[in-house]
Amino acid sequence: MTRATINRVLVIAGIAGFAILLRTLPVTEWLEQLARLNEQYPVAVPVAYIAAVTVATVALFPGWISMMLGGLLFGLLPGMPYALLGITAGAFGAFLAGRVLGRSWVEKRMGDSLKLQALDEAVDAQSFYIVFLTRFAIVLPFNVLNYAFGLTRVTAATYVAATALGMLPAVLLYVYHGTLADDFGAILAGDVRPA
């Protein structure tokens, strides 16, 4: 087995493991404890939230839940930068995983195909706008795009900047909705509606 294959297997196993843990552990109870601790530890809790959102995003956990929890935990103004930082860091982690897992395979598959090479070059030439617009249009699957952009020639800096800017409206919307929630159960059940 080649080193690249071993790296791919390890990354996939890690992502699957995180996804399974997030779905089986008592996350709701931990989040309620975190909300209580927020008053005692005003620096540690936001750092823990950002780290958890980062891991959850890489593990394909729905981003809207993470962002709404930011609104519930911290309110609108503090929750916005925390959620944006966590979502962007998670998107970047998934981007890197996609790059490690599949970019070399994509390059091999393109081979002599002029159409695929032209498509790859077009994405590279307009990468900021493409990433920005796919983030701005929240109808496209955010988590899948994180990995898919890793397969392209988009640079890491361009990807992070365009993702952060493009996600601003969605983060504002979901964090605001989180401020309207009474508890974590309402967010997880999807019972949060604007007044």
Side-chain angles (χ1 to χ4, degrees), residues 6-84:
I6 292 170
N7 286 342
R8 287 184 184 114
V9 169
L10 289 175
V11 170
I12 290 171
I15 292 168
F18 280 128
I20 290 168
L21 281 176
L22 285 174
R23 303 220 188 278
T24 58
L25 294 174
V27 176
T28 302
E29 290 82 15
W30 292 347
L31 290 171
E32 289 171 354
Q33 291 173 358
L34 189 64
R36 287 190 293 273
L37 291 173
N38 189 31
E39 294 175 11
Q40 292 176 308
Y41 305 102
V43 174
V45 172
V47 170
Y49 167 78
I50 291 167
V53 170
T54 301
V55 170
T57 302
V58 172
L60 303 172
F61 192 75
W64 64 270
I65 293 174
S66 300
M67 291 181 274
M68 288 179 74
L69 290 176
L72 178 63
L73 284 171
F74 307 109
L76 182 63
L77 293 181
M80 273 283 302
Y82 299 155
L84 184 63

Coordinates of all heavy atoms in Angstrom, one line a residue, residues 6-84:
I6 N -2.5 5.2 2.4 CA -2.6 5.1 3.8 C -3.1 6.4 4.4 O -3.9 6.4 5.3 CB -1.2 4.7 4.4 CG1 -0.8 3.3 4.0 CG2 -1.2 4.9 5.9 CD1 0.6 2.9 4.4
N7 N -2.6 7.5 3.9 CA -3.1 8.9 4.3 C -4.5 9.0 4.0 O -5.3 9.5 4.9 CB -2.3 10.0 3.6 CG -0.9 10.1 4.1 OD1 -0.6 9.7 5.2 ND2 0.0 10.8 3.4
R8 N -5.0 8.6 2.9 CA -6.4 8.7 2.6 C -7.3 7.9 3.5 O -8.3 8.3 4.0 CB -6.7 8.3 1.1 CG -6.2 9.2 0.1 CD -6.6 8.8 -1.3 NE -6.0 9.7 -2.3 CZ -5.0 9.4 -3.1 NH1 -4.6 8.2 -3.2 NH2 -4.6 10.3 -4.0
V9 N -6.9 6.7 3.8 CA -7.6 5.8 4.7 C -7.6 6.4 6.1 O -8.7 6.4 6.7 CB -7.0 4.4 4.7 CG1 -7.5 3.5 5.8 CG2 -7.2 3.7 3.4
L10 N -6.5 6.9 6.6 CA -6.5 7.5 7.9 C -7.4 8.7 8.0 O -8.1 8.9 9.0 CB -5.1 7.9 8.3 CG -4.1 6.7 8.6 CD1 -2.7 7.2 8.8 CD2 -4.6 5.9 9.7
V11 N -7.4 9.6 7.0 CA -8.3 10.8 7.0 C -9.7 10.4 6.9 O -10.6 10.9 7.7 CB -7.9 11.7 5.8 CG1 -8.9 12.8 5.7 CG2 -6.5 12.3 6.0
I12 N -10.1 9.4 6.1 CA -11.5 9.0 6.0 C -11.9 8.3 7.3 O -13.0 8.6 7.8 CB -11.7 8.0 4.8 CG1 -11.5 8.8 3.5 CG2 -13.0 7.3 4.9 CD1 -11.5 7.9 2.3
A13 N -11.0 7.5 7.9 CA -11.4 6.9 9.2 C -11.5 7.9 10.3 O -12.5 7.8 11.1 CB -10.3 5.9 9.6
G14 N -10.7 9.0 10.3 CA -10.8 10.0 11.3 C -12.1 10.8 11.1 O -12.8 11.1 12.1
I15 N -12.5 11.1 9.9 CA -13.7 11.9 9.7 C -14.9 11.0 10.1 O -15.9 11.5 10.7 CB -13.8 12.3 8.2 CG1 -12.8 13.4 7.9 CG2 -15.2 12.8 7.9 CD1 -12.6 13.6 6.4
A16 N -14.9 9.7 9.7 CA -16.0 8.8 10.1 C -16.1 8.7 11.6 O -17.2 8.7 12.2 CB -15.8 7.5 9.4
G17 N -15.0 8.6 12.3 CA -14.9 8.5 13.7 C -15.5 9.7 14.4 O -16.3 9.6 15.3
F18 N -15.2 10.9 13.9 CA -15.7 12.1 14.5 C -17.2 12.2 14.2 O -18.0 12.6 15.1 CB -15.1 13.4 13.9 CG -13.8 13.7 14.5 CD1 -12.7 13.9 13.7 CD2 -13.6 13.9 15.8 CE1 -11.4 14.2 14.2 CE2 -12.4 14.2 16.4 CZ -11.3 14.4 15.6
A19 N -17.7 11.8 13.1 CA -19.1 11.8 12.8 C -19.9 10.9 13.7 O -21.0 11.2 14.2 CB -19.4 11.5 11.3
I20 N -19.3 9.7 13.9 CA -20.0 8.7 14.8 C -20.0 9.3 16.2 O -21.1 9.2 16.9 CB -19.3 7.4 14.7 CG1 -19.6 6.7 13.3 CG2 -19.8 6.4 15.8 CD1 -18.7 5.5 13.0
L21 N -18.9 9.8 16.7 CA -18.9 10.4 18.0 C -19.9 11.5 18.2 O -20.6 11.5 19.3 CB -17.5 10.9 18.4 CG -16.4 9.9 18.7 CD1 -15.1 10.5 18.9 CD2 -16.8 9.1 20.0
L22 N -20.0 12.4 17.3 CA -21.0 13.5 17.4 C -22.4 13.0 17.5 O -23.2 13.6 18.1 CB -20.8 14.5 16.2 CG -19.6 15.4 16.3 CD1 -19.5 16.2 15.0 CD2 -19.6 16.3 17.5
R23 N -22.7 11.9 16.8 CA -24.1 11.4 16.8 C -24.4 10.5 18.0 O -25.5 10.3 18.3 CB -24.3 10.7 15.5 CG -24.0 11.5 14.3 CD -25.0 11.3 13.2 NE -24.7 12.0 12.0 CZ -24.9 13.3 11.7 NH1 -25.5 14.1 12.7 NH2 -24.6 13.9 10.6
T24 N -23.4 9.9 18.7 CA -23.6 9.0 19.8 C -23.4 9.6 21.2 O -23.9 9.1 22.1 CB -22.8 7.7 19.6 OG1 -21.4 8.1 19.6 CG2 -23.1 7.0 18.3
L25 N -22.5 10.6 21.3 CA -22.2 11.2 22.6 C -23.3 12.1 23.0 O -24.1 12.7 22.2 CB -20.9 11.9 22.5 CG -19.7 11.0 22.3 CD1 -18.4 11.9 22.1 CD2 -19.5 10.0 23.4
P26 N -23.5 12.4 24.3 CA -24.5 13.3 24.9 C -24.2 14.7 24.6 O -23.9 15.5 25.5 CB -24.6 12.9 26.4 CG -23.2 12.5 26.7 CD -22.7 11.7 25.4
V27 N -24.1 15.1 23.4 CA -23.7 16.5 23.0 C -24.6 17.5 23.6 O -24.2 18.6 24.0 CB -23.6 16.6 21.4 CG1 -23.3 18.0 21.0 CG2 -22.6 15.6 20.9
T28 N -25.9 17.3 23.6 CA -26.9 18.3 24.1 C -26.6 18.6 25.6 O -26.6 19.8 25.9 CB -28.3 17.8 23.9 OG1 -28.6 17.5 22.6 CG2 -29.3 18.8 24.4
E29 N -26.4 17.6 26.4 CA -26.1 17.8 27.8 C -24.8 18.6 27.9 O -24.7 19.5 28.8 CB -26.0 16.5 28.5 CG -27.3 15.8 28.7 CD -27.7 15.0 27.5 OE1 -26.9 14.7 26.6 OE2 -28.9 14.6 27.4
W30 N -23.8 18.3 27.1 CA -22.5 19.0 27.2 C -22.7 20.5 26.8 O -22.1 21.3 27.4 CB -21.5 18.3 26.3 CG -21.1 17.0 26.8 CD1 -21.3 16.4 28.0 CD2 -20.3 16.0 26.0 NE1 -20.7 15.1 28.0 CE2 -20.1 14.9 26.8 CE3 -19.8 16.0 24.7 CZ2 -19.5 13.8 26.4 CZ3 -19.1 14.9 24.3 CH2 -19.0 13.8 25.1
L31 N -23.5 20.7 25.8 CA -23.7 22.1 25.4 C -24.5 22.9 26.5 O -24.2 24.1 26.7 CB -24.5 22.1 24.1 CG -23.7 21.7 22.9 CD1 -24.7 21.5 21.7 CD2 -22.6 22.6 22.6
E32 N -25.4 22.3 27.2 CA -26.1 22.9 28.3 C -25.1 23.3 29.4 O -25.2 24.4 30.0 CB -27.2 22.1 28.8 CG -28.4 22.0 27.8 CD -29.4 21.0 28.2 OE1 -29.2 20.2 29.2 OE2 -30.5 20.9 27.5
Q33 N -24.2 22.4 29.7 CA -23.1 22.7 30.7 C -22.2 23.8 30.2 O -21.8 24.7 31.0 CB -22.3 21.4 31.0 CG -23.1 20.4 31.7 CD -22.3 19.1 31.9 OE1 -21.2 19.0 31.4 NE2 -22.9 18.1 32.6
L34 N -21.9 23.8 28.9 CA -21.1 24.8 28.4 C -21.7 26.2 28.5 O -21.1 27.2 28.8 CB -20.8 24.5 26.9 CG -19.8 25.4 26.2 CD1 -18.4 25.2 26.8 CD2 -19.8 25.0 24.7
A35 N -23.0 26.3 28.3 CA -23.8 27.5 28.5 C -23.7 28.1 29.9 O -23.5 29.3 30.1 CB -25.2 27.4 28.1
R36 N -23.7 27.1 30.9 CA -23.6 27.6 32.3 C -22.2 28.0 32.6 O -22.0 28.9 33.3 CB -24.0 26.4 33.2 CG -25.5 26.2 33.2 CD -25.9 25.2 34.3 NE -25.4 23.9 34.1 CZ -26.1 22.9 33.3 NH1 -27.2 23.2 32.8 NH2 -25.6 21.7 33.2
L37 N -21.2 27.4 32.0 CA -19.8 27.7 32.2 C -19.4 29.0 31.5 O -18.4 29.6 31.9 CB -18.9 26.6 31.7 CG -18.9 25.3 32.5 CD1 -18.1 24.2 31.8 CD2 -18.4 25.5 33.9
N38 N -20.2 29.4 30.5 CA -19.8 30.6 29.8 C -19.7 31.9 30.7 O -18.8 32.7 30.4 CB -20.9 30.9 28.7 CG -20.4 32.0 27.7 OD1 -19.3 32.2 27.5 ND2 -21.4 32.7 27.2
E39 N -20.5 32.0 31.7 CA -20.4 33.1 32.6 C -19.1 33.0 33.5 O -18.5 34.1 33.8 CB -21.6 33.1 33.5 CG -22.9 33.4 32.7 CD -24.1 33.4 33.6 OE1 -24.0 33.3 34.9 OE2 -25.2 33.4 33.1
Q40 N -18.7 31.8 33.8 CA -17.5 31.7 34.7 C -16.2 31.8 33.9 O -15.2 32.3 34.4 CB -17.5 30.3 35.4 CG -18.6 30.2 36.4 CD -18.6 28.8 37.0 OE1 -18.6 27.8 36.2 NE2 -18.5 28.7 38.3
Y41 N -16.2 31.3 32.6 CA -15.0 31.3 31.8 C -15.2 32.0 30.5 O -15.4 31.3 29.5 CB -14.6 29.9 31.6 CG -14.4 29.1 32.9 CD1 -15.3 28.2 33.3 CD2 -13.2 29.3 33.7 CE1 -15.2 27.5 34.5 CE2 -13.0 28.6 34.8 CZ -14.0 27.7 35.3 OH -13.9 27.0 36.4
P42 N -15.2 33.3 30.4 CA -15.6 34.0 29.2 C -14.6 33.9 28.1 O -15.0 34.3 26.9 CB -15.7 35.5 29.7 CG -14.9 35.6 30.9 CD -14.9 34.2 31.5
V43 N -13.4 33.4 28.3 CA -12.5 33.2 27.2 C -12.4 31.7 26.8 O -12.4 31.4 25.6 CB -11.1 33.6 27.6 CG1 -10.0 33.3 26.6 CG2 -11.1 35.1 27.9
A44 N -12.4 30.8 27.8 CA -12.3 29.4 27.5 C -13.5 28.8 26.7 O -13.4 28.0 25.8 CB -12.1 28.6 28.8
V45 N -14.7 29.3 27.1 CA -15.9 28.7 26.4 C -16.0 29.1 24.9 O -16.2 28.2 24.1 CB -17.2 29.1 27.2 CG1 -18.4 28.8 26.4 CG2 -17.2 28.5 28.6
P46 N -15.7 30.4 24.6 CA -15.7 30.6 23.1 C -14.7 29.9 22.4 O -14.9 29.4 21.2 CB -15.4 32.2 23.0 CG -16.0 32.7 24.3 CD -15.7 31.6 25.3
V47 N -13.5 29.7 23.0 CA -12.4 28.9 22.3 C -12.9 27.4 22.1 O -12.7 26.8 21.1 CB -11.1 29.0 23.1 CG1 -10.1 28.0 22.6 CG2 -10.5 30.4 23.1
A48 N -13.5 26.9 23.2 CA -14.1 25.5 23.1 C -15.2 25.4 22.0 O -15.2 24.4 21.3 CB -14.6 25.1 24.4
Y49 N -16.0 26.4 22.0 CA -17.1 26.5 20.9 C -16.5 26.5 19.5 O -16.9 25.7 18.7 CB -18.0 27.7 21.2 CG -18.9 28.0 20.0 CD1 -20.0 27.2 19.8 CD2 -18.6 29.0 19.1 CE1 -20.9 27.4 18.7 CE2 -19.4 29.2 18.0 CZ -20.6 28.4 17.8 OH -21.4 28.7 16.7
I50 N -15.5 27.3 19.3 CA -14.9 27.4 18.0 C -14.2 26.1 17.6 O -14.4 25.6 16.5 CB -13.9 28.6 17.9 CG1 -14.6 29.9 18.0 CG2 -13.0 28.6 16.7 CD1 -13.7 31.1 18.3
A51 N -13.5 25.5 18.6 CA -12.9 24.2 18.3 C -13.9 23.1 18.0 O -13.8 22.3 17.0 CB -12.0 23.8 19.5
A52 N -15.0 23.1 18.7 CA -16.1 22.1 18.5 C -16.7 22.3 17.1 O -17.0 21.4 16.4 CB -17.1 22.2 19.6
V53 N -17.0 23.6 16.8 CA -17.6 23.9 15.5 C -16.7 23.4 14.3 O -17.1 22.9 13.3 CB -18.0 25.3 15.3 CG1 -18.4 25.7 13.9 CG2 -19.1 25.7 16.3
T54 N -15.4 23.7 14.5 CA -14.4 23.3 13.5 C -14.4 21.8 13.3 O -14.5 21.3 12.1 CB -13.0 23.7 14.0 OG1 -13.0 25.2 14.1 CG2 -11.9 23.3 12.9
V55 N -14.4 21.0 14.4 CA -14.4 19.6 14.3 C -15.7 19.1 13.7 O -15.7 18.2 12.8 CB -14.1 18.9 15.6 CG1 -14.3 17.4 15.6 CG2 -12.7 19.2 16.1
A56 N -16.8 19.7 14.1 CA -18.1 19.3 13.7 C -18.3 19.5 12.2 O -18.9 18.7 11.4 CB -19.2 20.0 14.4
T57 N -17.7 20.6 11.7 CA -17.8 20.9 10.2 C -17.1 20.0 9.4 O -17.5 19.5 8.4 CB -17.4 22.4 10.0 OG1 -18.1 23.3 10.8 CG2 -17.5 22.8 8.5
V58 N -15.9 19.6 9.9 CA -15.1 18.6 9.1 C -15.8 17.3 9.1 O -15.7 16.5 8.1 CB -13.6 18.5 9.8 CG1 -12.9 17.3 9.2 CG2 -12.9 19.8 9.6
A59 N -16.5 17.0 10.2 CA -17.2 15.7 10.3 C -18.6 15.7 9.7 O -19.4 14.8 9.9 CB -17.3 15.3 11.8
L60 N -18.8 16.7 8.9 CA -20.1 16.8 8.1 C -21.3 17.1 9.0 O -22.4 16.8 8.6 CB -20.3 15.6 7.2 CG -19.2 15.3 6.2 CD1 -19.4 14.0 5.5 CD2 -19.0 16.5 5.2
F61 N -21.2 17.6 10.2 CA -22.3 17.9 11.0 C -23.0 19.2 10.5 O -22.3 20.1 10.0 CB -21.8 18.2 12.5 CG -22.9 18.3 13.5 CD1 -23.5 17.2 14.0 CD2 -23.2 19.6 14.0 CE1 -24.5 17.3 14.9 CE2 -24.2 19.7 15.0 CZ -24.9 18.6 15.4
P62 N -24.3 19.3 10.4 CA -24.9 20.4 9.8 C -24.5 21.8 10.4 O -24.6 22.0 11.6 CB -26.4 20.2 10.1 CG -26.5 18.7 10.3 CD -25.2 18.3 11.0
G63 N -24.0 22.7 9.6 CA -23.5 23.9 10.0 C -24.5 24.8 10.6 O -24.2 25.6 11.5
W64 N -25.8 24.7 10.2 CA -26.8 25.6 10.7 C -27.0 25.4 12.2 O -27.3 26.3 12.9 CB -28.1 25.5 9.9 CG -28.8 24.1 10.0 CD1 -28.6 23.1 9.2 CD2 -29.7 23.7 11.0 NE1 -29.3 22.0 9.6 CE2 -30.1 22.4 10.7 CE3 -30.3 24.3 12.0 CZ2 -31.0 21.6 11.4 CZ3 -31.2 23.6 12.8 CH2 -31.5 22.3 12.5
I65 N -26.9 24.2 12.6 CA -27.0 23.9 14.1 C -25.9 24.5 14.9 O -26.1 25.2 15.9 CB -27.0 22.4 14.3 CG1 -28.3 21.7 13.7 CG2 -27.0 22.1 15.8 CD1 -28.4 20.2 13.8
S66 N -24.7 24.4 14.4 CA -23.5 25.0 15.0 C -23.7 26.5 15.1 O -23.4 27.1 16.2 CB -22.2 24.7 14.3 OG -22.0 23.3 14.2
M67 N -24.1 27.1 14.0 CA -24.3 28.6 14.0 C -25.4 29.0 15.0 O -25.2 30.0 15.7 CB -24.5 29.1 12.6 CG -23.3 28.9 11.7 SD -23.5 29.5 10.0 CE -24.2 28.1 9.3
M68 N -26.5 28.3 15.0 CA -27.6 28.7 15.8 C -27.2 28.5 17.3 O -27.6 29.3 18.2 CB -28.8 27.8 15.5 CG -29.5 28.3 14.2 SD -30.9 27.3 13.8 CE -32.1 27.9 14.9
L69 N -26.4 27.5 17.6 CA -25.9 27.3 19.0 C -25.0 28.5 19.4 O -25.0 28.9 20.6 CB -25.1 26.0 19.1 CG -26.0 24.8 19.0 CD1 -25.1 23.5 19.1 CD2 -27.0 24.7 20.1
G70 N -24.3 29.1 18.4 CA -23.5 30.3 18.7 C -24.4 31.4 19.2 O -24.0 32.2 20.1
G71 N -25.5 31.6 18.5 CA -26.4 32.6 18.9 C -27.1 32.4 20.2 O -27.2 33.3 21.0
L72 N -27.4 31.1 20.5 CA -28.0 30.8 21.8 C -27.0 31.0 22.9 O -27.3 31.5 24.0 CB -28.5 29.4 21.8 CG -29.1 28.8 23.1 CD1 -30.4 29.6 23.4 CD2 -29.5 27.4 23.0
L73 N -25.8 30.5 22.7 CA -24.7 30.6 23.8 C -24.2 32.0 24.0 O -24.1 32.4 25.2 CB -23.5 29.8 23.4 CG -23.7 28.2 23.6 CD1 -22.5 27.6 22.9 CD2 -23.8 27.9 25.0
F74 N -24.0 32.8 23.0 CA -23.3 34.1 23.1 C -24.1 35.3 22.7 O -23.6 36.4 23.0 CB -22.0 34.0 22.3 CG -21.1 32.8 22.5 CD1 -21.0 31.8 21.6 CD2 -20.5 32.7 23.7 CE1 -20.3 30.7 21.8 CE2 -19.7 31.6 24.0 CZ -19.6 30.6 23.1
G75 N -25.2 35.1 22.1 CA -25.9 36.3 21.6 C -25.5 36.6 20.2 O -24.6 36.0 19.6
L76 N -26.1 37.7 19.6 CA -25.8 38.0 18.2 C -24.4 38.5 18.0 O -23.7 38.0 17.1 CB -26.9 39.0 17.7 CG -26.8 39.4 16.2 CD1 -27.0 38.2 15.4 CD2 -27.7 40.5 15.9
L77 N -24.0 39.6 18.7 CA -22.7 40.2 18.3 C -21.5 39.4 18.7 O -20.6 39.2 17.9 CB -22.7 41.6 18.9 CG -23.6 42.6 18.3 CD1 -23.5 44.0 19.0 CD2 -23.5 42.7 16.8
P78 N -21.5 38.8 19.9 CA -20.3 37.9 20.1 C -20.4 36.6 19.3 O -19.4 36.0 18.9 CB -20.4 37.6 21.6 CG -21.3 38.6 22.2 CD -22.2 39.0 21.1
G79 N -21.7 36.1 19.1 CA -21.9 34.8 18.4 C -21.5 34.9 17.0 O -21.0 33.9 16.4
M80 N -21.6 36.0 16.3 CA -21.3 36.1 14.9 C -19.8 35.8 14.6 O -19.5 34.9 13.8 CB -21.6 37.6 14.4 CG -23.0 37.8 13.9 SD -23.2 37.1 12.3 CE -22.0 38.0 11.4
P81 N -18.9 36.5 15.2 CA -17.5 36.2 14.9 C -17.1 34.8 15.4 O -16.3 34.1 14.7 CB -16.6 37.3 15.6 CG -17.6 37.9 16.6 CD -19.0 37.7 16.1
Y82 N -17.6 34.3 16.5 CA -17.3 33.0 16.9 C -17.7 31.9 15.9 O -17.0 31.0 15.6 CB -17.9 32.7 18.3 CG -17.4 33.6 19.4 CD1 -18.2 33.8 20.5 CD2 -16.2 34.2 19.4 CE1 -17.8 34.6 21.6 CE2 -15.8 35.1 20.4 CZ -16.6 35.2 21.5 OH -16.2 36.0 22.5
A83 N -19.0 32.1 15.5 CA -19.6 31.1 14.5 C -18.8 31.2 13.2 O -18.5 30.2 12.6 CB -21.0 31.4 14.4
L84 N -18.6 32.4 12.7 CA -17.9 32.6 11.5 C -16.5 32.0 11.5 O -16.0 31.3 10.6 CB -17.8 34.1 11.1 CG -17.2 34.4 9.7 CD1 -18.0 33.7 8.6 CD2 -17.0 35.9 9.5

